[in-house]
């Protein structure tokens, strides 16, 4: 699952990407890898994993990960191919969620592409380019659907009605995610078209160090503007975060964080937020060989969760032995959990809960 970082040039996108890439510095033995120059696999910080490591003392620990894509700065006219517009918009289309970086700090030494700091104007510039691209998609699809609707095809008529509603909304500057469409129509007609502005979005307000904890007036205007979008807003001092990741020891990093009033790096909050934005959750396996966090979509069944480990586990699923994370911590060992009667045996219909510690029984 990929989250793509977007924004205008010079708002802090690449600094943020490099900062997230260096998140390995906060988790000494967790690896970070770059698949391509602008794609990184980032560990999801999770205190539960560290607690399980402490209890089990395994040979290795493997965290959950999120793929982060650094998409080069979009400019006005990108939807018409300005700059490398088509390539960038293609890259965004391939992601599952958007991290939209907005410049919310003043600094005369860092030139703004539009000459002044105005996060709402910047947001509108990016939104418009993405909306124009989606409008193209709607209009192309409408041409085909209208022909079928004229023949009396009821399904096509229903689809035409939905597409016309999307077209009207996009022309009014409303992103697809904020256009009111009933769930069935969204699933049937909207999702298959992979609209860029239908993707879940998190606004990353890039502030200076002094506003890292409380935000500032720019952040307040962003929060107000996106209140109806069902979007997340994260405040991050990207330059400061980058400085923190350069420090060599955990103790130095913690001292720096405490000095500016933070209990953990903002990047950790952002990565967890991206994970949540992608509608993902975590279950664990815990044994002497390894303690591992596995990523599943929210609502996954036990067999589907088993299939993340190996397809054979899903095909031959018999049952799952499940311990709630809190019970594992409370009793300290799997043996004591069993003795207390807190290990559950679940079947194929079980919906895995975030934090479950699981063993699977299967037969192939």
């Amino acid at each position: 699952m990929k989250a793509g970082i977007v924004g205008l040039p010079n708002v802090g996108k690449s600094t943020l990407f490099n900062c997230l890439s260096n998140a390995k510095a906060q988790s000494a033995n967790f690896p970070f890898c770059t698949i391509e120059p602008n794609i990184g696999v980032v560990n999801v910080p999770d205190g539960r994993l560290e607690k399980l490591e402490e209890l089990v003392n395994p040979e290795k620990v493997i965290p959950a990960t999120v793929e982060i894509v650094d998409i080069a700065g979009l400019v006005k006219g990108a939807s018409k191919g300005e700059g490398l517009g088509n390539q960038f918009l293609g890259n965004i289309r391939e992601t599952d969620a958007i991290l939209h970086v907005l410049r919310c700090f003043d600094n005369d030494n860092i030139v703004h592409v539009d000459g002044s700091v105005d996060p709402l104007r910047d947001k509108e510039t990016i939104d418009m380019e993405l909306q124009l691209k989606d409008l193209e998609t709607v209009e192309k699809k409408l041409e085909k659907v209208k022909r079928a609707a004229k023949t009396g095809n009821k399904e096509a008529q229903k689809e035409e009605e939905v597409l016309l509603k999307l077209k009207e909304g996009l022309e009014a500057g409303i992103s697809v995610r904020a256009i009111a469409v009933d769930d069935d129509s969204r699933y049937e007609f909207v999702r298959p078209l992979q609209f860029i502005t239908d993707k879940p979005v998190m606004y990353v307000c890039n502030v200076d160090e002094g506003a890292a904890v409380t935000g500032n007036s720019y952040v307040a205007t962003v929060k107000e503007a996106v209140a109806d979008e069902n979007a997340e807003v994260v405040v991050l001092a990207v330059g400061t975060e980058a400085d923190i990741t350069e420090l060599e020891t955990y103790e130095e990093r913690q001292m720096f964080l405490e000095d500016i009033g933070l209990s953990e790096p903002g990047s950790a909050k952002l990565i967890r937020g991206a994970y949540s934005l992608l509608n993902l959750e975590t279950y664990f396996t815990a044994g002497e060989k390894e303690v591992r966090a596995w990523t599943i979509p929210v609502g996954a069944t036990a067999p589907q969760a088993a299939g993340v480990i190996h397809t054979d586990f899903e095909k031959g699923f018999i049952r799952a032995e499940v311990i709630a994370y809190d019970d594992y911590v409370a009793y300290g060992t799997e043996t004591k959990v069993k003795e207390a009667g807190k290990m559950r045996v679940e079947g194929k219909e079980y919906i895995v809960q975030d934090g479950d510690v699981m063993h699977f029984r299967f037969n192939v």
Side-chain angles (χ1 to χ4, degrees):
M1 301 288 274
K2 291 181 186 175
I5 302 174
V6 306
L8 290 174
N10 279 359
V11 295
K13 292 183 321 305
S14 293
T15 307
L16 174 60
F17 177 77
N18 293 335
C19 174
L20 295 176
S21 305
N22 287 329
K24 68 172 187 285
Q26 289 137 31
S27 315
N29 61 341
F30 295 167
F32 163 81
C33 65
T34 303
I35 300 169
E36 291 175 21
N38 67 334
I39 301 179
V41 178
V42 182
N43 301 314
V44 179
D46 194 330
R48 297 172 301 180
L49 196 64
E50 291 161 26
K51 185 65 181 174
L52 288 171
E53 179 184 13
E54 189 184 303
L55 293 172
V56 179
N57 194 25
E59 290 175 18
K60 60 180 176 178
V61 178
I62 303 175
T65 59
V66 172
E67 212 165 274
I68 304 287
V69 186
D70 181 21
I71 292 160
L74 289 169
V75 294
K76 282 179 184 169
S79 58
K80 302 297 178 192
E82 289 294 322
L84 293 172
N86 288 329
Q87 181 186 326
F88 297 160
L89 290 163
N91 289 342
I92 297 169
R93 200 181 292 284
E94 290 168 13
T95 65
D96 303 290
I98 293 172
L99 308 178
H100 186 160
V101 182
L102 296 168
R103 177 171 169 176
C104 294
F105 65 90
D106 295 304
N107 185 332
D108 293 340
N109 295 321
I110 300 174
V111 177
H112 189 290
V113 69
D114 286 328
S116 62
V117 176
D118 184 343
L120 293 192
R121 178 201 58 213
D122 296 355
K123 174 187 175 312
E124 284 165 11
T125 299
I126 297 287
D127 283 352
M128 185 184 294
E129 294 307 323
L130 302 185
Q131 288 160 3
L132 286 170
K133 203 65 184 173
D134 281 348
L135 191 56
E136 272 183 35
T137 303
V138 168
E139 287 171 341
K140 282 179 188 170
K141 185 67 175 176
L142 259 174
E143 282 177 31
K144 296 177 184 174
V145 171
K146 276 181 174 175
R147 287 196 291 270
K150 280 178 184 171
T151 67
N153 183 314
K154 298 285 185 198
E155 188 76 0
Q157 288 171 351
K158 188 179 174 187
E159 184 171 8
E160 181 185 20
E161 192 180 313
V162 172
L163 292 173
L164 285 169
K165 191 172 187 180
L166 295 182
K167 182 174 185 286
E168 186 182 323
L170 286 163
E171 285 173 341
I174 302 169
S175 293
V176 172
R177 75 179 76 84
I179 298 171
V181 177
D182 67 78
D183 289 344
D184 288 345
S185 295
R186 190 169 284 278
Y187 180 79
E188 193 174 351
F189 304 127
V190 181
R191 289 282 151 80
L193 294 174
Q194 292 185 295
F195 291 109
I196 298 172
T197 66
D198 193 34
K199 297 179 189 296
V201 64
M202 176 193 289
Y203 294 100
V204 182
C205 293
N206 183 12
V207 299
D208 56 27
E209 187 177 310
V213 178
T214 57
N216 56 25
S217 58
Y218 292 131
V219 174
T221 59
V222 170
K223 286 183 175 177
E224 189 179 337
V226 305
D228 297 333
E229 279 194 42
N230 193 27
E232 290 189 49
V233 178
V234 170
V235 178
L236 203 67
V238 175
T240 305
E241 294 276 335
D243 291 342
I244 292 171
T245 61
E246 294 297 318
L247 296 173
E248 289 187 10
T249 68
Y250 174 80
E251 288 73 20
E252 286 177 307
R253 292 192 290 274
Q254 286 305 113
M255 282 175 63
F256 196 139
L257 287 167
E258 284 167 18
D259 284 347
I260 61 173
L262 294 174
S263 58
E264 67 171 353
S267 55
K269 189 167 46 173
L270 184 143
I271 295 165
R272 283 198 300 273
Y275 194 71
S276 169
L277 198 65
L278 292 162
N279 205 30
L280 302 175
E281 63 184 12
T282 301
Y283 77 88
F284 301 102
T285 51
E288 289 179 6
K289 289 282 184 192
E290 69 175 29
V291 165
R292 182 163 183 165
W294 299 90
T295 299
I296 52 171
V298 171
T301 61
Q304 288 168 334
V308 173
I309 299 176
H310 198 289
T311 51
D312 285 349
F313 283 28
E314 183 172 4
K315 288 176 192 166
F317 180 90
I318 300 171
R319 66 179 184 273
E321 294 169 357
V322 184
I323 302 170
Y325 169 78
D326 287 343
D327 287 336
Y328 205 113
V329 172
Y331 291 95
T333 68
E334 191 176 305
T335 304
K336 287 180 180 173
V337 170
K338 285 180 183 174
E339 287 169 357
K342 293 291 187 178
M343 178 183 276
R344 307 190 312 275
V345 175
E346 302 285 1
K348 292 183 177 181
E349 305 303 315
Y350 177 67
I351 303 296
V352 178
Q353 301 301 301
D354 186 55
D356 279 349
V357 182
M358 306 183 76
H359 285 303
F360 298 105
R361 303 296 176 191
F362 67 101
N363 183 27
V364 291

